[in-house]
Amino acid sequence: MAAAALKRGTYFLGHMLRETGQALERMGARSMGQFYCAEPLDRHRQIMNLLFKSPIVSSNVFLAPCASLVGSVSVGSGSSVWYGATIRGDDAPVLIGEETNIQDGVAVFAKNMDRKYQNVPIPTIIGDRVTIGHGAVVNNAVLENECLIGMGVVIGVGSKICSNSIVAAGSVVPTFATVPSGELWAGVPAVFKKKLSEVEIKSIKTRAGDYQKLAKEHLDDIRRTPEQIRAETLGDSRMAYDEELKAALREHRPEAST
């Protein structure tokens, strides 16, 4: 009884301290005025256990402040999970390779299926240098190395997207379908459209590289110290940025700059 009471008291003390810290953070943010948004403080839980399953994130991964990794999830080195993306390994693992980008609003799942699929947990496996466009949904599927999934695509349960292939934006890949290597598929449901050229195949790897560079910029930014933020916000770099923005406005929207 005494041990249980001590644990309960410790829990409530910790909760009170956290709430106090949040209240102080909000007070400090208000006192900073228009510059408060530069502070990299967020209450959102990016990484969350599910029972005994815990996400594993390799080094040099950009995980956006409002992204979510839940349960049995593994993210390889150099990959990026962008703003609002959710990756959930409920009953089966989600394995993501290296230098892959999971863009804004993407949902990736690995969960038990209903009786139609004999309630068998099917893992989601995403290879290296894969690009998954904004708002796409991947359900218990396999995406091999260097493939490109367009914006808003839905990948059906048990599907396989082979390497060096592209699924066009807005397409729905049927359940247990296979997109062969070197092909473009599109439509609802997605069907074969054409063979990809060498230039198009090369662009898949280039796109992944571009996102890796962009992710590094975001990662470096969120790792800045408060002192660096203050110096850049109030110093010469902020003034130079403001002048650059005004120049762009004068060039493209003269009426907005007056």
Side-chain angles (χ1 to χ4, degrees), residues 149-221:
I149 309 302
M151 294 186 292
V153 168
V154 177
I155 306 293
V157 173
S159 298
K160 182 179 180 180
I161 314 299
C162 295
S163 60
N164 297 322
S165 58
I166 297 176
V167 181
S171 302
V172 176
V173 179
T175 301
F176 292 105
T178 298
V179 177
S181 179
E183 294 187 359
L184 168 67
W185 280 41
V188 182
V191 294
F192 169 77
K193 291 296 182 180
K194 69 168 188 175
K195 286 284 188 179
L196 296 174
S197 67
E198 290 297 323
V199 173
E200 289 171 322
I201 290 174
K202 186 178 179 180
S203 71
I204 298 173
K205 189 173 181 178
T206 301
R207 180 73 59 87
D210 290 343
Y211 253 88
Q212 189 181 9
K213 293 176 184 175
L214 184 60
K216 185 179 184 305
E217 292 180 10
H218 283 251
L219 183 61
D220 291 343
D221 188 73

Side-chain angles (χ1 to χ4, degrees), residues 16 69 101 238 251:
M16 181 181 68
L69 306 183
N101 59 91
R238 177 55 186 262
E251 180 179 354

Side-chain angles (χ1 to χ4, degrees), residues 125-127 130 132 138 141-145 147 149 155 159 161:
I125 301 173
I126 300 173
V130 174
I132 303 181
V138 181
V142 174
L143 280 60
E144 292 186 346
N145 297 342
C147 61
I149 309 302
I155 306 293
S159 298
I161 314 299

Side-chain angles (χ1 to χ4, degrees), residues 83-94:
Y83 303 93
T86 300
I87 304 174
R88 234 177 57 214
D90 295 333
D91 305 294
V94 176

